[in-house]
Amino acid sequence: MTDLSAKGAIVTGSSRGIGAEVAKILAAQGAGVVINYRQKAPRANKIVAAITEAGGRAVAVGADLTTPEGPVALVDAAIENFGSLDVLVLNASGGMESGLGEDYALRLNRDAQVAMLQAATEKMAPGSRVVFVTSHQAHFIDQVETMDAYEPVARSKRAGELALREFIPALEAKGITFVVVSGDMIEGTITATLLDRAEPGAIEARRAAAGKLYSVEEFGAEVAAMVTADVATGHTEYVGGAGDFLKK
């Protein structure tokens, strides 16, 4: 799949940050994009407005992916507004927020990812692609320790990746490819801000170890590129600083 014209896409967690950047790029390439938000409708509507003003197609849909109806609402919106669902970018993640329950990280980063995948692939045609976004700190958590404040999130995201990878044979049978994008800490994200608050100096230390941390815009471009990249299903694309993890 190299041309996104007349294609429908869902980008979870796309009302801000990396997801918003990915959505804008996919829309600029011709895709109709479902912008997903959990609570902040005005923020999501701004992303839709920016896309439509640039000549693209997008719709904002409020959906909590940890509920049974959340994933279904996004799939329905893609089909109803754009006629098909050809791209699913699993970008939404979390777990450092307060007041959402001790098991929230696992419910969002594993269970909701699987539910979203299952709902989407019921409607996706052969030639479609699923992209899962994770971090080096999560992808390599069984080999490399991470910061205490981030470990529960990292382990839940790794559990999510492993659970999703179990679907690869079934996806292959449907002609759907699955790709993982693993990135280092990203400058300016909510996770980075919360981590630096919990462990002051954490971001600077990681920047020194990696040599450079990608911006939201830079990483978003890398994620969007994997939607159409000519790679085998199951491929993991490492973005920034992976050598520091791979050699450990």
Side-chain angles (χ1 to χ4, degrees):
M1 180 171 53
T2 57
D3 183 6
L4 296 182
S5 298
K7 304 292 186 182
I10 294 171
V11 182
T12 65
S14 48
S15 66
R16 66 180 175 191
I18 296 163
E21 289 300 319
V22 173
K24 289 176 184 177
I25 293 169
L26 298 184
Q29 294 174 347
V33 186
V34 176
I35 305 298
N36 163 231
Y37 67 94
R38 188 167 65 90
Q39 291 180 317
K40 309 288 187 178
R43 192 163 58 195
N45 289 333
K46 283 185 179 180
I47 303 301
V48 170
I51 288 173
T52 55
E53 286 168 10
R57 299 173 298 143
V59 61
V61 178
D64 183 345
L65 301 185
T66 65
T67 66
E69 59 272 15
V72 175
L74 297 184
V75 173
D76 287 348
I79 301 298
E80 290 169 8
N81 287 276
F82 310 122
S84 66
L85 175 56
D86 311 276
V87 175
L88 171 62
V89 180
L90 294 167
N91 167 74
S93 66
M96 295 189 70
E97 305 89 340
S98 59
L100 293 172
E102 292 183 4
D103 65 339
Y104 181 68
L106 201 57
R107 287 192 293 117
L108 175 59
N109 297 330
R110 183 193 64 188
D111 301 345
Q113 307 301 318
V114 169
M116 187 70 245
L117 179 76
Q118 290 176 312
T121 53
E122 286 184 6
K123 303 292 185 180
M124 297 175 86
S128 298
R129 173 158 291 180
V130 178
V131 177
F132 175 67
V133 182
T134 189
S135 66
H136 297 339
Q137 289 75 17
H139 184 74
F140 293 105
I141 189 60
D142 293 327
Q143 292 82 38
V144 182
E145 292 183 356
T146 190
M147 291 159 285
D148 290 344
Y150 189 66
E151 184 170 353
V153 175
R155 293 201 175 279
S156 67
K157 283 185 69 65
R158 180 57 177 166
E161 180 183 341
L162 293 175
L164 291 169
R165 285 186 180 276
E166 290 183 2
F167 287 89
I168 289 177
L171 295 178
E172 274 195 288
K174 293 183 175 183
I176 301 170
T177 51
F178 174 82
V179 176
V180 172
V181 182
S182 178
D184 210 325
M185 287 186 185
I186 308 300
E187 300 270 16
T189 60
I190 294 297
T191 297
T193 301
L194 292 174
L195 273 174
D196 215 45
R197 189 179 301 162
E199 298 188 26
I203 300 304
E204 183 55 42
R206 186 61 214 147
R207 187 184 298 114
K212 169 193 171 169
L213 296 183
Y214 276 57
S215 68
V216 167
E217 293 78 12
E218 290 171 328
F219 186 62
E222 296 288 340
V223 173
M226 295 313 297
V227 168
T228 56
D230 184 11
V231 295
T233 192
H235 171 76
T236 301
E237 182 74 6
Y238 297 112
V239 180
D244 189 44
F245 289 85
L246 289 165
K247 67 186 179 184
K248 293 182 180 180

